[in-house]
Amino acid sequence: MEAFRKLRDQVARQQQAVLKQFGGGAFGCSENSALDEAELQQNHKLEKLYASTRSTKHFQRDIVRSLEGYIVTGSKQVEIGNKLAEDSRKYGAENTCTSGNTLTKAAFSIAKARTQMVKEQEHLLRVYGTQVAEPLRAMILGAPLEDARHLTQRYVRMRQEAEAQAIEVSRRRTKAKEAPGNIDNTSRLEAAETKLEDLKSNMKVLGKEAGAAMLAVEVQQQRQTLQRLITMVEAERTYHQRILQILEQLEGEMVLEHQRVEASPNQAPPMPMESHMPPPPSYEEVNGIPSFAIDESIDSMEYFLGEVTFSFQAESDVELSLSVGDYVVVRKVSGTGWAEGECRGKAGWFPLGCVERRIECSQERFLEFNLIIFVSCIEKD
């Protein structure tokens, strides 16, 4: 029994020494292992594939976790954006300011823009969740990766078993040399060698199967992960482009309204001393039967082309609406501050202070000016 115990301890020490030569990793091996050159290459290939797919899996997990945090934060921003839009809309609907409605318009513009931006952000978050995070999560937990990893782990266990069996064969050969005529030692050596060959044959088949599975997974990981990243970048780029468009439109509306308000003291044309401008001249006044004094020197002026510098909104059928930048042919000027002319194919009365004189003309050039105004209106539209 003592001799048997010593032999067992010696064999254990030999096994430990051989295993140390194989390296500490799961795929470690040495020149003294049971693997030939082709099997060594297969082993190294599997080792690299296993490390690559594991690294990509961790990267995918990091992307998913980051997007999950981004979606949570973005959902909170959506709530805040909806609240701001609702508050702006509420103020615009309930504002009772008597000095103007400029702030009301601004509030409605912000409410509209904020609602559009919130919708764009919600779309971006949906893309992050359904088109990026979910496919990556499915790959992380999917069967192809797990099956390939299980095959690789089986291969590693079988390789370790083959290494142990190779040690056993080496020990049997030593005993057979020490006792050449011992039939029992010879039969045990043959059995050990047969088992080692079977293990190596099965290991070779399993190694090829595991290598093919791991390679397929690696290719799928690389392609799909890159595609998900491209989808994420494209979605974010589109989101920022749409937000920029919305903000530019909002800024344009608010700046235009601000400029209008800043120019409001000069917007109204010069008025007479009375608190309200008198109505346009009557028929009698226009035809030389005035009921009050008319400045004949003004009334007898030649036609002239005027540019509208202050807008005017007609309040009756005899008045003519004007927009800043329009050109109008002024045909008659009344001493009460009104002028009669034609613009955009319509004629009527308007405050003389709304226009600035540009070109004087005779009545004969009236048609020519009308043509100029027509062309100008087409270009403006």
Side-chain angles (χ1 to χ4, degrees):
M1 292 296 295
E2 184 66 25
F4 178 76
R5 188 179 299 109
K6 289 181 179 181
L7 179 61
R8 185 183 60 186
D9 293 341
Q10 182 180 0
V11 171
R13 286 193 298 268
Q14 290 176 348
Q15 288 178 340
Q16 290 177 358
V18 173
L19 289 176
K20 285 182 180 180
Q21 294 178 350
F22 296 154
F27 290 88
C29 58
S30 70
E31 295 180 355
N32 297 325
S33 67
L35 305 180
D36 57 23
E37 185 62 29
E39 291 167 344
L40 283 173
Q41 292 179 359
Q42 180 68 36
N43 184 75
H44 292 324
K45 180 181 178 181
L46 269 176
E47 182 179 4
K48 292 180 179 179
L49 286 170
Y50 194 90
S52 172
T53 54
R54 179 179 58 189
S55 177
T56 306
K57 176 182 178 181
H58 292 168
F59 179 49
Q60 291 174 333
R61 183 183 293 113
D62 292 339
I63 295 174
V64 172
R65 289 175 178 173
S66 298
L67 290 180
E68 288 173 346
Y70 193 98
I71 291 172
V72 171
T73 303
S75 299
K76 186 62 177 179
Q77 291 176 343
V78 166
E79 294 179 7
I80 297 173
N82 283 327
K83 181 64 166 57
L84 176 58
E86 182 60 29
D87 292 341
S88 300
R89 190 178 298 106
K90 183 178 180 181
Y91 176 83
E94 298 178 356
N95 182 25
T96 57
C97 180
T98 59
S99 60
N101 61 348
T102 301
L103 187 56
T104 298
K105 293 180 179 179
F108 276 125
S109 296
I110 290 178
K112 177 183 176 182
R114 178 56 61 179
T115 300
Q116 293 174 339
M117 288 190 288
V118 165
K119 290 181 179 179
E120 294 297 330
Q121 189 171 15
E122 288 176 334
H123 176 71
L124 176 65
L125 296 179
R126 283 196 298 270
V127 171
Y128 281 171
T130 60
Q131 299 185 28
V132 182
E134 289 183 7
L136 291 180
R137 188 183 298 109
M139 288 190 65
I140 294 171
L141 304 176
L145 175 60
E146 291 303 315
D147 292 345
R149 290 167 65 91
H150 289 159
L151 283 174
T152 303
Q153 291 166 359
R154 283 177 55 194
Y155 169 80
V156 171
R157 289 193 297 268
M158 185 173 291
R159 184 189 63 77
Q160 292 172 346
E161 186 178 354
E163 296 289 353
Q165 186 63 26
I167 296 174
E168 177 67 15
V169 170
S170 178
R171 187 177 67 85
R172 292 292 178 186
R173 285 174 180 172
T174 302
K175 292 187 67 175
K177 289 180 180 180
E178 292 175 352
N182 193 321
I183 300 177
D184 185 48
N185 289 341
T186 303
S187 61
R188 289 181 180 181
L189 174 60
E190 292 176 353
E193 290 176 340
T194 302
K195 182 177 180 181
L196 176 61
E197 291 302 321
D198 291 341
L199 285 172
K200 292 175 65 175
S201 177
N202 294 335
M203 182 179 63
K204 187 175 182 179
V205 174
L206 184 59
K208 290 182 178 179
E209 185 179 354
M214 291 297 290
L215 181 60
V217 168
E218 183 188 55
V219 171
Q220 183 184 24
Q221 280 183 331
Q222 297 291 316
R223 184 176 62 250
Q224 293 297 328
T225 304
L226 177 60
Q227 184 59 48
R228 295 310 102 196
L229 290 177
I230 292 174
T231 300
M232 182 176 67
V233 172
E234 289 179 344
E236 191 160 359
R237 184 196 62 183
T238 302
Y239 165 74
H240 287 296
Q241 288 177 340
R242 286 289 300 126
I243 293 298
L244 180 60
Q245 293 173 359
I246 295 170
L247 290 176
E248 286 180 344
Q249 181 178 357
L250 174 62
E251 182 187 25
E253 293 175 357
M254 297 184 70
V255 168
L256 184 62
E257 183 65 19
H258 178 68
Q259 292 175 347
R260 188 189 69 79
V261 172
E262 291 295 321
S264 59
N266 301 321
Q267 187 174 9
M271 295 292 182
M273 295 301 295
E274 295 83 356
S275 60
H276 298 284
M277 191 171 182
S282 63
Y283 175 82
E284 290 79 6
E285 293 174 330
V286 175
N287 291 276
I289 314 175
S291 57
F292 49 82
I294 299 179
D295 189 340
E296 295 295 337
S297 62
I298 298 178
D299 192 43
S300 61
M301 292 175 63
E302 292 279 347
Y303 287 24
F304 69 87
L305 181 67
E307 181 180 358
V308 179
T309 56
F310 300 99
S311 61
F312 173 71
Q313 184 64 38
E315 297 182 357
S316 67
D317 295 338
V318 298
E319 296 177 358
L320 176 64
S321 296
L322 301 175
S323 299
V324 175
D326 287 344
Y327 285 91
V328 57
V329 175
V330 181
R331 299 182 295 197
K332 186 178 289 294
V333 177
S334 170
T336 59
W338 288 86
E340 191 272 340
E342 183 173 343
C343 179
R344 293 178 176 267
K346 297 181 180 180
W349 290 90
F350 51 87
L352 181 60
C354 288
V355 300
E356 289 186 2
R357 189 188 310 271
R358 291 292 180 258
I359 303 175
E360 294 187 6
C361 64
S362 61
Q363 187 171 359
E364 287 74 14
R365 297 190 64 191
F366 171 67
L367 294 178
E368 180 182 349
F369 277 139
N370 275 341
L371 178 59
I372 294 174
I373 295 172
F374 178 73
V375 172
S376 174
C377 290
I378 292 177
E379 294 178 347
K380 183 177 179 182
D381 293 338

